[in-house]
Amino acid sequence: MTSLDTSQIAAVLALIAERSGLVFPDIRGETAVQAIGEFMVERNLRTDRELINSGQLPELLERLVVHESFFDRDVEQLSFLDQIVVPELARVAPGTLRVWSAGCAGGEEPYTLAFMLAKRGLYERSTVLGTDLSEPALARARRGRYRAWSTRLGPGTPAARYLEPIEAQFQVPSRFVQTVTFRRLNLIEDGYPDGQHLILCRNVLIYFDPKSIALVANKLAGALDRDGWLAVGPSDPRLDGVAPLDLVIDDRGVFYRPRNNHTRREPPMWSVATPAPAPAIHWVAPPPESFEDVFELPPPSVPARVVVTREPQPTVDAHEIRRLADLGDLPRAKTILTAALAARPLDAELYFLQAVLATELDPVAALASLGRCIYLDPTKAAAHLLAASLRRSRGQHAEARQAYRATLTLVTRLPATEPVQWIDETAGSLTTVCRHALEQLDGNR
Ligand SMILES: C[S@@+](CC[C@H](N)C(=O)[O-])C[C@H]1O[C@@H](n2cnc3c(N)ncnc32)[C@H](O)[C@@H]1O
């Protein structure tokens, strides 16, 4: 329990918003207040001033931020980058291609981009940069060693194929570990790189207050090359109203370009729907047929709506278990999980998290937990997908097929851009992943 009163906590929350942009609405507010209280008491700090003067704000932030990330996250959006954006950039930018993952957490995103460039033979003439507020996350990124949960979409997705299995974990090949650059950058502050051709700032601004969103959006706009692209996550806030950016929407994701600045070279892949000076929205035309697909993606049909819905919030302890698991602190995650299960033995999500924690070291136990989870709640695609992936890696192809089909049935009921509960991935991406896995499994029959 905290011995700080509400006004002391409010002052610390205001300080955090000012220094990092981060705010804690919904369920995260409860977790944050608890974590701040515990931290301040533990460190014998009573006010926001004392916290600042002690130099311990970064450590407190570490307890509060969400570092969740994984390889091939939002595979649909990545397929757009792979098929439309990267080939276009390769054409219009003859020199070095500069690619930046802003808020890269443990590095899965910049490595995913590096692999995408390598697949097209462009990596040698590219720079890939990952930045984050968190030094511990950056240290994990520089190491390039990942737990199985970082490849949660399964072994067949584009980036996962580059990873080298080592002792139940996955290692990024050394040529990428040595050449992808990581550095600390607080997005609220200066020090942005410039002339970037592709920036990913996904699932970062979702946690920011409106003032900081506008500040960062303008800085990101300033960091883009005139031909550049900015990709954001499906639940991230709109940026074109607060910064000189034009919105580009495709079935596969949300993107921005510098307003009225990028060169329109042949053949135009988008059309201007709203003329300047208002922010323009570009609807992207179907890609040319000859793109060498990693996945056989269906061509975009109708323009997707921008979905800004958020998932139902997890419980406080589920949130904390995920946070600790993302930090690699499995012992503490398991302790909280055990207590939570004792209190709520019929909570399906807790069995899902139990499976996630066991995936790497004990896949049989993970499958047993998934069995309980699916028994309690058969509607969660994330549980079926994890079961499918585990069955597949154990060579149980018939069971894997069945689980991929169950996942597919559930995700195809949702709009493509809808986030899927528990896995933080869009329904469209999971549809693609399942179809691809089923094709591969059928090919192995
Ligand atoms: C949920 S992760 C997103 C990781 C990755 N972009 C993805 O989508 O998989 C959000 C990351 O943003 C970082 N972050 C939060 N506030 C930040 C700030 N002010 N400056 C830089 N990074 C920040 C966190 O440390 C965390 O690693």
Side-chain angles (χ1 to χ4, degrees), residues 19-22 62 65-70 73 101-106 108-109 131-134 137 185-188 200-204 206-208 424:
R19 298 293 168 101
S20 70
L22 292 165
E62 201 51 42
V65 290
V66 177
H67 289 306
E68 180 165 15
S69 192
F70 47 97
R73 183 174 198 172
S101 161
C104 67
E108 293 93 332
E109 188 173 86
T131 64
D132 203 278
L133 183 66
S134 159
L185 174 65
N186 182 347
L187 290 169
I188 291 299
L200 269 67
C201 187
R202 305 190 303 171
N203 311 300
V204 179
I206 185 177
Y207 302 112
F208 279 35
D424 224 0

Side-chain angles (χ1 to χ4, degrees), residues 44-94:
N44 203 17
L45 303 165
R46 279 158 305 160
T47 65
D48 53 329
R49 254 318 95 214
E50 285 184 9
L51 173 63
I52 274 295
N53 292 339
S54 74
Q56 296 180 61
L57 181 60
E59 282 174 70
L60 173 57
L61 285 176
E62 201 51 42
R63 293 210 189 166
L64 301 174
V65 290
V66 177
H67 289 306
E68 180 165 15
S69 192
F70 47 97
F71 287 95
D72 296 301
R73 183 174 198 172
D74 201 339
V75 96
E76 290 274 280
Q77 187 185 43
L78 293 172
S79 80
F80 182 87
L81 297 179
D82 178 42
Q83 295 170 16
I84 306 271
V85 172
V86 169
E88 180 197 295
L89 288 173
R91 251 194 342 268
V92 301

Side-chain angles (χ1 to χ4, degrees), residues 124-332:
E124 306 308 329
R125 73 158 169 115
S126 307
T127 57
V128 179
L129 170 69
T131 64
D132 203 278
L133 183 66
S134 159
E135 286 291 3
L138 291 167
R140 286 198 304 283
R142 289 187 190 104
R143 192 162 172 249
R145 174 78 60 95
Y146 293 93
R147 292 180 302 112
W149 187 229
S150 288
T151 63
R152 68 193 65 170
L153 299 182
T157 51
R161 292 188 213 163
Y162 277 82
L163 299 171
E164 297 164 353
I166 294 182
E167 296 162 7
Q169 297 199 337
F170 294 91
Q171 177 66 46
V172 172
S174 59
R175 81 170 173 116
F176 296 102
V177 173
Q178 283 158 13
T179 48
V180 173
T181 311
F182 293 99
R183 74 171 164 88
R184 184 177 181 280
L185 174 65
N186 182 347
L187 290 169
I188 291 299
E189 296 172 359
D190 292 337
Y192 278 46
D194 56 17
Q196 299 300 301
H197 295 102
L198 174 59
I199 303 175
L200 269 67
C201 187
R202 305 190 303 171
N203 311 300
V204 179
L205 296 177
I206 185 177
Y207 302 112
F208 279 35
D209 67 282
K211 192 170 124 241
S212 305
I213 291 168
L215 177 79
V216 173
N218 279 281
K219 284 172 175 279
L220 289 171
L224 279 172
D225 180 89
R226 64 198 292 267
D227 288 318
W229 290 77
L230 165 66
V232 300
S235 300
D236 281 324
R238 278 280 289 268
L239 304 183
D240 52 324
V242 294
L245 292 164
D246 285 345
L247 176 64
V248 179
I249 306 176
D250 177 81
D251 275 7
R252 289 168 285 181
V254 179
F255 309 86
Y256 296 94
R257 308 209 66 188
R259 180 162 311 154
N260 302 327
N261 215 11
H262 45 270
T263 39
R264 309 255 160 85
R265 303 181 197 214
E266 46 53 67
M269 290 187 179
W270 58 87
S271 58
V272 181
T274 314
I281 299 179
H282 306 292
W283 302 106
V284 178
E289 280 165 21
S290 59
F291 284 137
E292 182 200 318
D293 278 351
V294 174
F295 293 149
E296 293 297 318
L297 289 170
S301 46
V302 286
R305 39 191 190 104
V306 182
V307 174
V308 286
T309 55
R310 300 190 180 191
E311 285 184 19
Q313 296 296 322
T315 55
V316 173
D317 44 22
H319 184 274
E320 185 61 1
I321 293 162
R322 281 173 187 282
R323 196 185 70 79
L324 291 167
D326 287 331
L327 288 172
D329 190 348
L330 299 192
R332 275 178 68 204

